[in-house]
Amino acid sequence: MKAAIFEGAGKPLTIGDIPSPDPGPHELILKVKACGICGSDLHCTEHGPFTLPEGSVMGHEFSGEVVGLGTGVQGRFAEGERVTALPVIIPPIPPVGLEDAEPWMRPDMQPIGLGQIPGAYAEYVRVGVTQTRRLPENVSFEQGALVEPLTVGLHAVNRAEMRSGDNVLVLGAGPIGLASTAFALRMGAANVVVSEMTDQRRALAESVGATATIDARGNVLEQFAEKTGALMPDVVIEAVGVPGMVQQAVDFVKPRGRVVVVGVCQQQDQMMPMVAIMKEVGLQFVLGYEPRDWDTVLSFIASDRLRVDHLVTDRVGFDAFPGAFEALRTPSTQCKVMLKPE
Amino acid sequence: MKAAIFEGAGKPLTIGDIPSPDPGPHELILKVKACGICGSDLHCTEHGPFTLPEGSVMGHEFSGEVVGLGTGVQGRFAEGERVTALPVIIPPIPPVGLEDAEPWMRPDMQPIGLGQIPGAYAEYVRVGVTQTRRLPENVSFEQGALVEPLTVGLHAVNRAEMRSGDNVLVLGAGPIGLASTAFALRMGAANVVVSEMTDQRRALAESVGATATIDARGNVLEQFAEKTGALMPDVVIEAVGVPGMVQQAVDFVKPRGRVVVVGVCQQQDQMMPMVAIMKEVGLQFVLGYEPRDWDTVLSFIASDRLRVDHLVTDRVGFDAFPGAFEALRTPSTQCKVMLKPE
Amino acid sequence: MKAAIFEGAGKPLTIGDIPSPDPGPHELILKVKACGICGSDLHCTEHGPFTLPEGSVMGHEFSGEVVGLGTGVQGRFAEGERVTALPVIIPPIPPVGLEDAEPWMRPDMQPIGLGQIPGAYAEYVRVGVTQTRRLPENVSFEQGALVEPLTVGLHAVNRAEMRSGDNVLVLGAGPIGLASTAFALRMGAANVVVSEMTDQRRALAESVGATATIDARGNVLEQFAEKTGALMPDVVIEAVGVPGMVQQAVDFVKPRGRVVVVGVCQQQDQMMPMVAIMKEVGLQFVLGYEPRDWDTVLSFIASDRLRVDHLVTDRVGFDAFPGAFEALRTPSTQCKVMLKPE
Amino acid sequence: MKAAIFEGAGKPLTIGDIPSPDPGPHELILKVKACGICGSDLHCTEHGPFTLPEGSVMGHEFSGEVVGLGTGVQGRFAEGERVTALPVIIPPIPPVGLEDAEPWMRPDMQPIGLGQIPGAYAEYVRVGVTQTRRLPENVSFEQGALVEPLTVGLHAVNRAEMRSGDNVLVLGAGPIGLASTAFALRMGAANVVVSEMTDQRRALAESVGATATIDARGNVLEQFAEKTGALMPDVVIEAVGVPGMVQQAVDFVKPRGRVVVVGVCQQQDQMMPMVAIMKEVGLQFVLGYEPRDWDTVLSFIASDRLRVDHLVTDRVGFDAFPGAFEALRTPSTQCKVMLKPE
Ligand SMILES: NC(=O)c1ccc[n+]([C@@H]2O[C@H](COP(=O)([O-])OP(=O)(O)OC[C@H]3O[C@@H](n4cnc5c(N)ncnc54)[C@H](OP(=O)(O)O)[C@@H]3O)[C@@H](O)[C@H]2O)c1
Ligand SMILES: NC(=O)c1ccc[n+]([C@@H]2O[C@H](COP(=O)([O-])OP(=O)(O)OC[C@H]3O[C@@H](n4cnc5c(N)ncnc54)[C@H](OP(=O)(O)O)[C@@H]3O)[C@@H](O)[C@H]2O)c1
Ligand SMILES: NC(=O)c1ccc[n+]([C@@H]2O[C@H](COP(=O)([O-])OP(=O)(O)OC[C@H]3O[C@@H](n4cnc5c(N)ncnc54)[C@H](OP(=O)(O)O)[C@@H]3O)[C@@H](O)[C@H]2O)c1
Ligand SMILES: NC(=O)c1ccc[n+]([C@@H]2O[C@H](COP(=O)([O-])OP(=O)(O)OC[C@H]3O[C@@H](n4cnc5c(N)ncnc54)[C@H](OP(=O)(O)O)[C@@H]3O)[C@@H](O)[C@H]2O)c1
Ligand SMILES: [Zn+2]
Ligand SMILES: [Zn+2]
Ligand SMILES: [Zn+2]
Ligand SMILES: [Zn+2]
């Protein structure tokens, strides 16, 4: 089958031919219909300690059609069903001694599209049956491929332990910041203000419902107060991921407020613990999501309470894909770029 | 000034003339612009242990214009401002020994419109300055008078300790059930299903966004499963308030689920504790709201995320008011009836 | 092997001979060293809707020595090890479609000693390997057999959502009330007051550390205030289980307080919801425990922070067992009665 | 009256004569019976941005006898009563516009002994009546002067959101680490392990009940696993306050664990956010306590569940006090040093 193959840091992906996957007993094969490019894919194809092995196939934000069924699937899915899936495979039989563990927390969980199990920058992808979710009738394949990054935002908001009426400041209006914005609004925030650099991204923030946007290059708290009437946010969600942002979030948040750090800063960073102490800040770092969050996101899209189509700014086939991927390494006005294999 | 006066259980209100109120140092006088009729007003004008004293003036869901200012108000409000207020007066200086207590929890708090301080079924009403909230420009007086019952619904949802993605079942589509529905939807519920008796009320539930409605006279759980795909609700909000409803809520809720009881059953009731034990049910009884909930509701209305105008089904002046009040004692299709003094 | 067999409601247990159990692949066989009599065993041997099938072997509070190992146990336990076990067997391979479920919440979980899998009123008992817990060296078999009821008390306290410094009132000083008392004291309570009928039981409450005891037949709140200086408890734990107790607990608790109902009232009960509403009471019904609670209880006993030996008031062999069992049907001064098979 | 006066950074305190305080209407004057030296006192007498003004009288951990009463105290305290007090004065009448605020969170709160209101390194100290707590009969003045630092430890543990059975690692065995240890043990921890540099401090940790101690200079996690059987702690409490400790705490804690930072690092610090993200760490910075925590600590001491006398390693009068104070600037085996004015 066709796939976009990682050839090593500094080199563009190539479109090549690799063997199609076969389903294990508790697995499905999907014909990929849409797969988003995630910022992490860009990061882990750079030189550094976390570079993927050559030959890897990435792609962990996808949807597709069921075309192959493992022997243990037992009628739970049928060929032709439209689905998305958590990008992990969890063996159905727990390792000896871990029968009591929550499956999602088990060490034998394997990621899809991040170096271990080949991902969905390909015609077909192999997924776990218990990780697969049907797309409701009115949810498109593209929306299905957005569920993964949206769920990251939902989880970030969940861990903010918001009270209804809280004022929220989101730093960064990439896909993750936008998803966090959308869910903060749907989980009782009074104001959700988004701080960003460029006009285009601020416009996107408004399109997902941000009650106000501010210019990240100006005085953030002054703009925040002007837009909300509140001096400081109750909750700050950091969705940028460069050095200095954690301290900024701590500086911005209200005394006794909460900061959720979803942005991934891979370098050493600096902070002033004293500032966090004097305000009794709670700093929650977050990773990924819980399985049930996927169902929540799907039900929000299906009931038309989460409009996300405009987050997809570009759609490309295999031929244009390596170029589109490289283009994302430099600042742009794109939001989510989708591989559409056919 | 004109006011609707309670003449004793079994008698209609009369429109009479009573002295206009004077503001205490930390109080304001409002010219009443709108005041809703609450079910509790009907209850406490019936024969029984909780009947109000004769001569009482009710009305605790109101908005108005500031026309009088106490000497200690010190420029915090000006004449002509459009406001609503929590229906309680809390003396600004705490009683000796309670200086450390949260004002809202203090025993020297006095309700407005429930027998102690005269309410807003009148031309003017006296309120506490710290309990007063400005109406944002785009919030009408009628919307301002809806804030009180809406806030009861918000508080009920707050105490449900919902997780995003929960399925919620609301019992009853009166103003309180409808408010609970609207807020459950805005605080992360996947589905909010409303159970009611009549078509008209079910239509109202749909108009506030219920993802489905069901007929309370049929098999509730069967209809719930059909509409949601989930066997049982994670959260049940009981907003009816007649005997048997608490047990019904316990019967409907999922194992380890939560029941919030906002409906007020004033009689002895029966239940099977064993059923609640076997499911580890959490049963949270709720009363009123927290002051901060008022700001939340106002900010939701102001940002156009809570459309509530259609909850007001009738508007009457003083002359028609006693009749409209009595009419609510028998089942009707009305939702919120408003006194509009001019 | 020898076992105490249930012959039907109204008849005493008989000591008979039944086949010894064989271990399934993920199971162990224990030689029973001690097994407590639980109040539920008395209840489910009475006439009523929940009577056990004739021929059942009860006993769900036990400890023993490993004498048999299933083929899939793979060195996780060895013969001769001293253990206790949760009285449930959970098949290691989840049912199709439930691979994602927490094992403990799965419907294919089977209780031991309550009619399905034979219990430990016998020489040997069959248990699940993942449910088995080693006894630390300094924990005796008798202490091991107390872990189950102690854990019920720990779980009740866990679900009270106590804040440090809370005043707790425990209703009932049977094994469950005493366990709740011991754990409330170890989880930050300022005062733990136990209400009971008889002097002997009150003495037991003091021996587990209750900061005061009161006479359940007198005015409970008056005595509570006298003993603690606080008007009302923040938390009430109901550990009696007869009609009227839930309402009593609601009457006693502080406004905005929490009631945990662990006592099992199997009959219809009455309550006044209005009282619970006016105080915004939270009523948490509880059942059993979480697996991790077993480790907690064991670590408390092992580190000598929970002295429980005096809770065992009687020890009997097989011959005396049926008589001891029947004797518990009438009020007594006993606390925990243990079967010691040898 | 006699007092120990700060003469500027780099100079020892001097014992001088200053005017005795007069009580404001809602204030009391205490004759100081004991006052502890806090590490913060040492910090804020060093050169730096936070140096106290010359002439300041420090001392915020004290107890004493009531010798003067404000005109508004109205019989709530009598001369001769034995008390301790929160080291803050909160005016009884809230500022205009803040009548609704929790007193404890108000900006007009003034600290005692940190530069604004003179502290208890003196014969007399002025305190707020609502902040004053009676010492129960069996609580000594020295114990009373320990309440403040003990309460810091209680608050740290409260904010750890511990579940019963958690394993806790405390970094540092100064007074704050020891207090945290004592309370973690009383709030349901299974193991509380203390990491420290010196044998003497480790011995102190054991004396407050630490289930194990480890050498901070060795491999902390290895020692932790050896002592507890658990790979990593569920909760880490950082009570050292030097650069690098926050990252250490993050490194040590279990995935999805919680870190409480009570140690105050006044300098710029470094950390790797990526590590915290990959483990979904929650980092709670804490400051001080809540007023109700004081009552909790007092009730624990009074009911003999918290033995703390041995934390006081030295007692000095005024003459020896400046020397004792300076001596604490270099490492020592002392724990709490008390000024005993008479
Ligand atoms: N924790 C998790 O589980 C998880 C999962 C997925 C992704 N992530 C991380 O989440 C972060 C966001 O992901 P993404 O896909 O949304 O990335 P993205 O598209 O790069 O978005 C980040 C946005 O932040 C803006 N920005 C830069 N500096 C800013 C500042 N000081 N204040 C406000 N905005 C600023 C950027 O603007 P410019 O483009 O103009 O610089 C960009 O629009 C990344 O670090 C990613 O690795 C975490
Ligand atoms: N806790 C608090 O702080 C607080 C504050 C305000 C109000 N309340 C209470 O909240 C409750 C609701 O107030 P409300 O103003 O919304 O009252 P309402 O207008 O009387 O609404 C109750 C609704 O429930 C319906 N209903 C009756 N039986 C039902 C059943 N078995 N299943 C489902 N629906 C059923 C009624 O229909 P029909 O009219 O056809 O019977 C009615 O539409 C009242 O008990 C009120 O006292 C509590
Ligand atoms: N939820 C669960 O998971 C779970 C698990 C195990 C047990 N349980 C239940 O928990 C309850 C307690 O169990 P147990 O083994 O401790 O039972 P128990 O030995 O019967 O203890 C109950 C105690 O309450 C006393 N009592 C009776 N009326 C009282 C009153 N009004 N106020 C205060 N005390 C009163 C009884 O005294 P007298 O003997 O003098 O009457 C007795 O000492 C039972 O209902 C049991 O079924 C629940
Ligand atoms: N957040 C608040 O509200 C609050 C309130 C009061 C105090 N504090 C802060 O809490 C911290 C502790 O106060 P304290 O009075 O207990 O101070 P302390 O007496 O200085 O105790 C700190 C202890 O940590 C030890 N230590 C140093 N490096 C260590 C390491 N790497 N691992 C483990 N232990 C190490 C020190 O040993 P050596 O002496 O041998 O170096 C000392 O015994 C201070 O930073 C203080 O400012 C905070
Ligand atoms: Zn991603
Ligand atoms: Zn009302
Ligand atoms: Zn039992
Ligand atoms: Zn201090």
Side-chain angles (χ1 to χ4, degrees), chain C:
Chain C
M1 66 170 179
K2 259 195 204 168
I5 300 163
F6 174 54
E7 301 288 353
K11 302 185 196 155
L13 306 178
T14 59
I15 304 305
D17 210 76
I18 60 165
S20 297
D22 285 322
H26 301 90
E27 295 172 358
L28 303 171
I29 303 300
L30 310 185
K31 182 161 173 46
V32 177
K33 292 294 187 169
C35 181
I37 299 179
C38 172
S40 319
D41 294 344
L42 296 163
H43 289 314
C44 56
T45 51
E46 290 162 8
H47 289 285
F50 305 108
T51 318
L52 288 183
E54 282 176 38
S56 296
V57 174
M58 294 178 289
H60 59 268
E61 310 178 346
F62 55 84
S63 63
E65 206 179 285
V66 178
V67 295
L69 301 125
T71 52
V73 169
Q74 300 193 342
R76 274 186 292 156
F77 284 93
E79 286 198 21
E81 287 201 273
R82 303 164 61 256
V83 301
T84 180
L86 281 79
V88 292
I89 288 187
I90 304 173
I93 300 176
V96 166
L98 287 173
E99 293 83 353
D100 247 12
E102 225 186 294
W104 180 246
M105 296 281 105
R106 268 168 30 198
D108 58 337
M109 179 173 112
Q110 284 188 297
I112 295 174
L114 285 165
Q116 297 188 270
I117 297 175
Y121 290 174
E123 282 181 282
Y124 300 96
V125 67
R126 173 163 71 95
V127 300
V129 66
T130 65
Q131 276 62 62
T132 303
R133 301 288 185 272
R134 266 179 201 88
L135 297 182
E137 231 172 277
N138 60 342
V139 173
S140 71
F141 282 121
E142 255 187 31
Q143 290 170 329
L146 285 171
V147 172
E148 203 271 355
L150 289 169
T151 309
V152 171
L154 170 60
H155 179 63
V157 175
N158 278 340
R159 305 250 17 206
E161 287 170 25
M162 264 174 54
R163 296 197 300 161
S164 63
D166 273 355
N167 291 315
V168 178
L169 172 63
V170 176
L171 307 180
I176 300 303
L178 294 170
S180 303
T181 300
F183 285 107
L185 281 160
R186 279 153 187 81
M187 286 168 67
N191 291 288
V192 183
V193 177
V194 179
S195 171
E196 244 294 340
M197 301 285 193
T198 68
D199 284 351
Q200 292 98 325
R201 297 243 187 196
R202 277 196 293 276
L204 273 175
E206 266 153 33
S207 78
V208 299
T211 53
T213 58
I214 63 190
D215 188 336
R217 290 158 310 184
N219 182 320
V220 169
L221 277 191
E222 242 172 46
Q223 295 174 80
F224 179 85
E226 207 176 278
K227 298 284 168 97
T228 62
L231 283 185
M232 298 170 113
D234 299 281
V235 167
V236 177
I237 299 180
E238 173 351 58
V240 176
V242 300
M245 294 308 297
V246 174
Q247 181 62 42
Q248 271 196 39
V250 167
D251 289 341
F252 294 154
V253 82
K254 203 167 150 171
R256 301 224 164 169
R258 279 181 71 77
V259 170
V260 174
V261 181
V262 57
V264 176
C265 170
Q266 297 189 340
Q267 296 140 264
Q268 180 88 350
D269 200 0
Q270 300 215 309
M271 72 172 297
M272 282 292 296
M274 184 78 178
V275 177
I277 294 258
M278 295 307 295
K279 295 209 253 181
E280 280 227 356
V281 172
L283 208 56
Q284 181 65 54
F285 295 86
V286 295
L287 178 71
Y289 27 71
E290 308 274 337
R292 68 172 259 139
D293 299 332
W294 280 63
D295 305 302
T296 304
V297 168
L298 278 166
S299 88
F300 268 74
I301 300 177
S303 62
D304 206 24
R305 286 185 284 155
L306 191 72
R307 309 223 174 133
V308 293
D309 296 326
H310 53 286
L311 299 185
V312 182
T313 50
D314 296 84
R315 293 148 183 95
V316 292
F318 275 115
D319 294 347
F321 189 68
F325 192 88
E326 290 309 309
L328 286 171
R329 298 201 191 272
T330 50
S332 72
T333 61
Q334 288 146 332
C335 186
K336 187 56 73 184
V337 177
M338 284 273 168
L339 169 67
K340 305 285 291 269
E342 7 156 73

Side-chain angles (χ1 to χ4, degrees), chain A residues 32-49:
Chain A
V32 177
K33 292 294 186 168
C35 181
I37 299 179
C38 171
S40 320
D41 294 344
L42 296 162
H43 288 314
C44 58
T45 51
E46 289 162 8
H47 289 284

Side-chain angles (χ1 to χ4, degrees), chain B residues 247 250 271-281, chain C residues 285-286:
Chain B
Q247 182 62 44
V250 168
M271 70 172 298
M272 282 292 296
M274 184 77 177
V275 177
I277 294 258
M278 295 306 297
K279 296 208 254 182
E280 280 227 356
V281 172
Chain C
F285 295 86
V286 295

